[in-house]
Amino acid sequence: MKRTRQNKLSNHRKKKVSKSAQYHEQNQTPESNTEESVQLPRKKVRWEGNSESVAAVADTENGSSDDDARTSKRVRSRGRIAGAYYDSVRCIVYVLEDTQEDVHFDLTNMLLEQCNADVVLTSSKADDPFISILQKFAEASGGVFQIRPHKEFTPHRGRDRLLSLRFLSELTTEDSGQCLSSDSSSGAEPRNAYEFMQKRKQAAGDPTMKRWNAAIRLANYASVESSLCISCLGALLDYLARERAAGDLDDDAGVEGLNISGIEVLTIDQVMHINADALFSLQIFENESHASIHSDKTKEGLSLFGILDNTRTPLGRSLLRTWLMRPSLSIPVITARHDAIECFLHPENLAPASALQTHLKGIKNIPRILGLLQSGKAGVGDWQGLVKFTYHSAMLRDALAELHRGDQVEVVRKLVASLDIASFKDTGNAVNETIDWEESTNNNRICVRPHIDEELDQRKHVYAGLDAVLSKVAEQTCQKIPVDYTASLNVVYFPQLGFLICVPMQEEWRSEEGIKVLDGWSFQVKDMDTHIGDLHPSIVDREIEIVQELLERILVFSEGMRQACDICAELDCLLAFAEASRAYNYCRPQMSEDSIIDIDQGRHPLQEQVVDIFVPNSAQLVGGVGLGDSAESQAEVDSLPIYSSIVLCTGANACGKSVYLKQVALIQYMAQVGNHSSFVPAVSATLGIVDKIFTRIQTRESVSKAQSAFMIDLNQVSLALRNCTANSLILLDEFGKGTIPADGTGLFCGVIKHLLNRGSQCPKVLAATHFHEIFQKDMLDPHKFPITFLHMQVLFTSSKGSLNPGDMSVSGDSDSTNHERVEPTSVVAPGEKITYLYRVSPGLSRNSHAAQCATMFGLPSRIAQRAQYVSKLLSDHELGQLLEERMTAEEQENIEAAGIAAYKFLAMDLTNDSHEKDIKPRLAEALGRAPHE
């Protein structure tokens, strides 16, 4: 006998009938919601050691890199390194085959910076220096570092995990589906263990066949035969499986249940090497904290990524960030993408390009949605996203057809070929005709439309008529029960419990005698259980079967959908580049096989966004022009007016030298962005390929680093010197300022001479300095070294209003060339004002005008004037005047007398023995004293 107290049902829907009889219908139970798509919160996992909390690996809807959780594995053995990392947005595992590493771990640092891993794992048998590098990276980036047991990094274990991946081992075939359907229709239950294992084998597939399929298909994705690489993959997959199990306690699928859609090889030799310091100095990315101190969210600030990110899709945003992390070195690929941007910028293509972006905005993260569909966790929004993709893909196809000369663009041709509109349309129609969107939203689960399945319609019809049935049963029951037993009752239906009669608890039933039950009565309506049955679970089960059949039809086209989404992400990025080029007046650069940089009227893409007027400047560099090789290199490239590999810029403080250095690097960088490229802020540009960019611009100090600011600067320059080639670009902004001027001058001059001594392997270098003493004959003599000397022009205004363009003077030599022009070194008179022109001009500036700069920015004028006076005395080597300023007149007379006495003493001839007796009188005479004193 079952009973339910009335007060427990007070929150449920009720309907009054005669004699106060009531019924209750319970629509959902926890058991009936097993197929609902629940958005789980990001779980926090506390790891051993001192590492911080880390979010479990999970997909994000917007594809933001701030939420882009990545896991990385690194192993180093006998001077070689291999690795693997997982991109949770694209659901792809990237692998790096065994590669030789140097003693400085430069490749390891580059991999860590490019992968930007949140979690880094390595083997317990890794080298201590290697472990130290990984730990420092995790601490600096706020990630998690773990040392896992070496047994997790074995090739045999890794190969087993790799061959267990679903996308490799499972092949979609019609035969398997027919076999499953015939077995299910037979209804025969296994009668012994052998039959049970046979049915399980038919349902799950032959394990041996799965491994064979995986081994064959693996070669289609990547070559991972090296032992270290496979070991890393095994540890990576084990970690992802543990994270998945922690997020879903009911999931015991292991590695087979991971949402991995592909494996790609990480090729380092095809991308530009740009480390974290260069990315930070050039402001490629900039995260701004949330205004609230209680929020850990960030947003993109003023950065190159921020002004280029006009993407409409989550996959496009993720791909754009990847492109910015890995600029390309392939001229054909870059040129093909330039053609695409130029096509989108054509006046006739403005409307089609806008339509393309509109329809791209409706395309969601289809790889993620397909993964949720396969795992059975997709919600109503995910199914709607799939239908929207099928609609917008058809609209994209129509918009692509309207592009003027679109058939000549590679990305357009690829997308047209990948969009199987007929199949996508059938998929969208099938989903839309099967799923009842309104009912699914109300019930928070996937519901099926009427007239899809006759059996389901009958069950729903009976279920919908329960209101009248229960009301009638409640009336009949009330008539049969005495009034003195209960004044009201409920007839309710609970899924998986059945039909129950519920009466209010009486006070007399609370005694020791308990509940009084009428003879021959039970609180359970067994007749309704027999004739009607448990309707709600049967409806849910049947809808799950129908949705599963629909899913099997959809997954046939899953690979085509993923491929189309990848190309849509590429199109999204190129359209974003075109929009930025149109908004900011960017031009198409001409890519060259030569190692040159020739920029006409270039601009800084970020600085011009924050100033009213930006003054453009040109730049010319040629790689490989060192000592003894300048004539040969000049003969190779006759079109350039300046043929130096090193450009040295001087000028006043705050005159724009750093902006000039950065804008040249950013223009080169933008031309090679990712596997594709964007236009650049200039009137015109001819650019060769730069394989690496190194910077010594900004020093990122931290109390967690056991290094001084000067040591950090030395590390940046050392990295550049060890790894640069003739095709590299190095930026040195006031290198050496962190120590005493003598040492800083020597280090800066030594670095420049070392690079020049490389001859044909001299990289392209842009440097700025305030060490004016290096321009001497014994150091960097402008007449002897193949260096282009530039300075930033300034204009002086006297108190009377007259103008003095002090930077336009040249040296007195009539044969002087542009790089020998020298600005006057005279000190600016008090009262004169300095105006920065931000214009690059040939020649040297031998004065930093620090006093004028200090006055402009609030330092009292008397302090600035005193600084000018002291600087003049230092340059004239007259430090004695500084000592005399605090002396009295008597002290000055004594010093003057002492100087005269010293002069007379030095003039004495003490070599003749005949004058030995005259020593004392002569000394007394020199001191101005009487002999007897």
Side-chain angles (χ1 to χ4, degrees):
M1 180 178 294
K2 302 178 183 179
R3 64 184 176 88
T4 302
R5 296 179 58 179
Q6 176 70 26
N7 57 355
K8 291 185 178 180
L9 300 174
S10 59
N11 294 328
H12 296 298
R13 180 168 57 90
K14 303 176 182 178
K15 181 178 180 180
K16 294 184 178 181
V17 296
S18 59
K19 292 188 177 181
S20 300
Q22 300 173 346
Y23 79 94
H24 174 75
E25 175 184 333
Q26 177 71 15
N27 287 326
Q28 297 179 2
T29 65
E31 292 81 5
S32 66
N33 291 332
T34 55
E35 294 299 321
E36 294 177 12
S37 175
V38 181
Q39 187 68 26
L40 296 176
R42 290 166 64 93
K43 301 184 74 66
K44 294 289 184 179
V45 182
R46 177 67 67 178
W47 297 101
E48 64 274 7
N50 298 324
S51 60
E52 300 179 353
S53 298
V54 59
V57 177
D59 291 325
T60 57
E61 176 65 22
N62 59 3
S64 172
S65 72
D66 300 333
D67 300 327
D68 183 9
R70 296 188 181 187
T71 308
S72 176
K73 309 290 179 285
R74 298 286 182 271
V75 171
R76 183 173 179 270
S77 175
R78 298 181 183 88
R80 300 183 67 83
I81 183 176
Y85 78 94
Y86 175 65
D87 187 343
S88 64
V89 174
R90 300 188 62 196
C91 303
I92 290 179
V93 173
Y94 294 88
V95 296
L96 175 71
E97 298 180 12
D98 293 11
T99 308
Q100 189 66 38
E101 177 64 295
D102 58 23
V103 296
H104 302 288
F105 298 97
D106 294 331
L107 179 60
T108 301
N109 288 320
M110 184 181 70
L111 285 175
L112 291 172
E113 292 163 359
Q114 288 191 351
C115 296
N116 194 25
D118 294 330
V119 180
V120 181
L121 307 185
T122 191
S123 170
S124 58
K125 290 189 177 181
D127 299 340
D128 290 341
F130 180 72
I131 292 177
S132 178
I133 293 292
L134 301 183
Q135 186 173 9
K136 289 180 179 178
F137 170 81
E139 292 175 354
S141 62
V144 176
F145 173 66
Q146 289 188 39
I147 300 177
R148 305 297 303 174
H150 181 67
K151 63 181 181 181
E152 296 184 8
F153 287 83
T154 57
H156 177 72
R157 185 188 185 108
R159 187 171 184 83
D160 287 340
R161 301 295 186 271
L162 188 61
L163 297 182
S164 299
L165 293 177
R166 181 184 300 170
F167 83 98
L168 290 176
S169 60
E170 293 185 0
L171 298 178
T172 304
T173 58
E174 297 179 357
D175 293 339
S176 60
Q178 294 176 358
C179 179
L180 291 176
S181 62
S182 62
D183 291 339
S184 60
S185 60
S186 62
E189 295 293 332
R191 292 173 295 180
N192 51 47
Y194 177 78
E195 292 183 2
F196 174 80
M197 294 303 296
Q198 285 295 109
K199 291 184 69 67
R200 182 177 180 182
K201 180 177 179 180
Q202 293 175 359
D206 188 352
T208 305
M209 183 61 66
K210 282 187 174 183
R211 289 179 60 86
W212 185 83
N213 292 336
I216 295 298
R217 301 186 70 196
L218 180 60
N220 298 331
Y221 291 86
S223 176
V224 289
E225 297 299 327
S226 59
S227 59
L228 283 180
C229 183
I230 292 181
S231 300
C232 293
L233 278 170
L236 172 65
L237 297 177
D238 278 341
Y239 174 83
L240 295 177
R242 289 194 301 269
E243 288 294 298
R244 178 185 173 92
D248 188 354
L249 298 179
D250 296 331
D251 180 19
D252 59 352
V255 175
E256 296 181 9
L258 295 177
N259 185 19
I260 296 177
S261 60
I263 298 177
E264 294 184 10
V265 177
L266 183 61
T267 55
I268 303 299
D269 57 342
Q270 295 298 320
V271 298
M272 178 195 292
H273 176 194
I274 181 166
N275 58 13
D277 289 326
L279 291 173
F280 177 76
S281 299
L282 298 179
Q283 214 168 333
I284 305 300
F285 303 100
E286 183 71 26
N287 287 333
E288 292 184 355
S289 301
H290 195 274
S292 173
I293 61 174
H294 304 290
S295 176
D296 58 353
K297 295 182 179 180
T298 60
K299 66 176 181 179
E300 192 69 29
L302 180 63
S303 64
L304 182 63
F305 176 74
I307 66 173
L308 294 180
D309 183 21
N310 299 309
T311 55
R312 270 47 176 191
T313 65
L315 287 177
R317 179 181 174 86
S318 176
L319 183 61
L320 177 60
R321 182 173 288 273
T322 302
W323 288 1
L324 288 174
M325 294 292 292
R326 304 187 185 111
S328 176
L329 302 182
S330 174
I331 290 182
V333 172
I334 293 175
T335 303
R337 299 317 184 258
H338 282 162
D339 294 339
I341 299 175
E342 189 172 38
C343 173
F344 299 145
L345 288 175
H346 196 277
E348 296 183 15
N349 291 333
L350 294 181
S354 178
L356 287 173
Q357 290 184 310
T358 300
H359 295 300
L360 283 172
K361 190 175 182 179
I363 295 180
K364 305 301 181 182
N365 192 341
I366 296 301
R368 170 186 173 275
I369 292 176
L370 291 175
L372 292 175
L373 292 177
Q374 288 179 301
S375 63
K377 297 181 179 180
V380 179
D382 299 319
W383 284 96
Q384 289 176 342
L386 182 62
V387 175
K388 289 180 180 179
F389 165 76
T390 61
Y391 167 76
H392 287 288
S393 61
M395 301 303 294
L396 276 175
R397 178 69 176 271
D398 296 339
L400 291 173
E402 298 177 3
L403 285 173
H404 176 66
R405 296 184 178 179
D407 56 344
Q408 301 178 7
V409 177
E410 180 182 359
V411 67
V412 174
R413 293 197 300 266
K414 290 194 304 181
L415 185 56
V416 170
S418 65
L419 291 176
D420 189 356
I421 302 301
S423 301
F424 294 170
K425 185 177 180 180
D426 293 341
T427 299
N429 291 335
V431 174
N432 199 37
E433 293 172 357
T434 302
I435 297 179
D436 190 330
W437 302 113
E438 183 177 358
E439 185 179 355
S440 299
T441 303
N442 294 334
N443 294 332
N444 198 22
R445 62 179 178 82
I446 306 302
C447 299
V448 179
R449 290 181 183 273
H451 310 298
I452 299 298
D453 183 80
E454 183 178 356
E455 180 183 356
L456 178 63
D457 292 342
Q458 292 177 355
R459 295 177 184 177
K460 286 188 175 183
H461 178 72
V462 175
Y463 186 77
L466 279 181
D467 289 4
V469 174
L470 293 179
S471 297
K472 186 175 181 180
V473 172
E475 293 176 358
Q476 295 176 354
T477 304
C478 286
Q479 294 175 0
K480 296 179 181 179
I481 295 179
V483 178
D484 58 351
Y485 183 81
T486 181
S488 63
L489 59 82
N490 287 345
V491 176
V492 300
Y493 164 67
F494 282 99
Q496 300 182 4
L497 292 179
F499 298 89
L500 306 178
I501 300 174
C502 303
V503 297
M505 177 67 73
Q506 305 293 334
E507 290 295 333
E508 56 269 21
W509 294 349
R510 301 179 185 275
S511 61
E512 295 181 357
E513 296 181 359
I515 300 175
K516 180 182 178 182
V517 181
L518 297 176
D519 294 340
W521 282 81
S522 172
F523 285 106
Q524 183 176 11
V525 187
K526 296 182 179 180
D527 291 342
M528 297 186 70
D529 288 339
T530 303
H531 292 88
I532 298 179
D534 201 354
L535 282 174
H536 190 272
S538 63
I539 291 174
V540 173
D541 292 343
R542 182 55 187 159
E543 286 182 329
I544 291 175
E545 293 175 359
I546 296 174
V547 172
Q548 184 63 29
E549 294 175 359
L550 174 64
L551 179 61
E552 292 177 359
R553 294 169 54 189
I554 294 174
L555 292 181
V556 176
F557 310 105
S558 61
E559 189 62 29
M561 293 181 182
R562 287 191 174 96
Q563 183 180 1
C565 282
D566 290 340
I567 303 176
C568 284
E570 181 179 338
L571 175 65
D572 192 15
C573 292
L574 294 175
L575 286 170
F577 287 149
E579 183 176 350
S581 301
R582 185 183 304 109
Y584 305 127
N585 192 25
Y586 293 166
C587 77
R588 173 174 180 168
Q590 299 298 320
M591 306 309 297
S592 173
E593 296 287 348
D594 299 316
S595 179
I596 61 174
I597 295 178
D598 186 7
I599 301 172
D600 181 22
Q601 300 297 300
R603 310 186 308 276
H604 193 293
L606 302 180
Q607 184 71 16
E608 69 174 350
Q609 303 298 319
V610 296
V611 296
D612 296 333
I613 299 176
F614 186 88
V615 179
N617 286 296
S618 302
Q620 296 84 25
L621 292 93
V622 179
V625 182
L627 293 176
D629 295 329
S630 59
E632 179 180 356
S633 298
Q634 290 178 16
E636 294 178 357
V637 187
D638 296 331
S639 60
L640 295 180
I642 301 178
Y643 310 109
S644 300
S645 292
I646 298 180
V647 172
L648 203 158
C649 186
T650 56
N653 291 100
C655 65
K657 299 187 299 295
S658 299
V659 172
Y660 177 69
L661 268 61
K662 293 178 183 179
Q663 82 177 37
V664 175
L666 281 172
I667 290 174
Q668 179 70 53
Y669 180 84
M670 292 175 65
Q672 295 181 230
V673 163
N675 291 328
H676 313 281
S677 51
S678 65
F679 283 19
V680 298
V683 174
S684 65
T686 302
L687 304 171
I689 293 296
V690 168
D691 58 356
K692 302 173 184 178
I693 294 180
F694 301 97
T695 62
R696 204 325 305 160
I697 297 179
Q698 290 178 280
T699 305
R700 293 191 294 175
E701 299 182 70
S702 174
V703 295
S704 62
K705 295 181 180 180
Q707 295 178 333
S708 65
F710 182 60
M711 188 179 298
I712 296 174
D713 292 351
L714 291 176
N715 286 338
Q716 294 176 353
V717 176
S718 176
L719 177 68
L721 295 180
R722 287 198 310 266
N723 296 277
C724 67
T725 66
N727 294 323
S728 300
L729 177 62
I730 302 176
L731 306 183
L732 300 176
D733 190 4
E734 297 187 36
F735 170 61
K737 66 179 181 181
T739 184
I740 61 175
D743 292 343
T745 301
L747 285 170
F748 178 78
C749 191
V751 168
I752 297 298
K753 284 189 175 181
H754 169 76
L755 294 173
L756 286 173
N757 288 333
R758 293 191 176 188
S760 60
Q761 294 302 311
C762 179
K764 296 181 283 291
V765 181
L766 284 164
T769 185
H770 286 293
F771 294 139
H772 301 136
E773 56 269 28
I774 65 175
F775 309 120
Q776 300 176 6
K777 292 184 178 180
D778 297 335
M779 301 182 75
L780 294 181
D781 187 355
H783 299 274
K784 295 182 179 180
F785 290 94
I787 300 177
T788 299
F789 293 92
L790 303 175
H791 72 281
M792 305 297 293
Q793 289 184 348
V794 295
L795 188 67
F796 299 104
T797 306
S798 67
S799 57
K800 298 180 180 180
S802 60
L803 301 179
N804 176 22
D807 292 340
M808 299 305 295
S809 300
V810 298
S811 61
D813 187 2
S814 60
D815 296 332
S816 62
T817 58
N818 286 339
H819 69 277
E820 298 168 355
R821 298 172 65 175
V822 180
E823 181 195 353
T825 59
S826 60
V827 178
V828 179
E832 291 191 343
K833 297 181 180 179
I834 184 172
T835 302
Y836 300 111
L837 301 180
Y838 305 110
R839 187 169 56 197
V840 172
S841 179
L844 291 173
S845 173
R846 295 186 181 273
N847 198 322
S848 296
H849 305 297
Q852 285 74 19
C853 181
T855 303
M856 289 178 57
F857 291 98
L859 201 67
S861 58
R862 57 182 180 84
I863 298 178
Q865 293 174 5
R866 175 65 179 178
Q868 287 182 293
Y869 172 71
V870 173
S871 297
K872 186 177 185 306
L873 293 179
L874 289 175
S875 61
D876 295 339
H877 303 285
E878 295 181 0
L879 294 179
Q881 295 187 25
L882 297 177
L883 301 176
E884 296 175 2
E885 290 181 355
R886 296 295 180 90
M887 293 182 182
T888 62
E890 183 180 357
E891 290 174 341
Q892 292 183 8
E893 291 178 359
N894 292 335
I895 290 179
E896 184 177 356
I900 295 174
Y903 178 77
K904 291 180 179 180
F905 176 75
L906 294 175
M908 293 173 58
D909 184 9
L910 302 178
T911 59
N912 194 345
D913 295 339
S914 62
H915 299 290
E916 183 177 353
K917 295 180 180 180
D918 301 332
I919 291 297
K920 285 187 175 181
R922 295 175 63 187
L923 289 176
E925 181 183 358
L927 294 174
R929 299 177 182 178
H932 62 276
E933 295 179 354

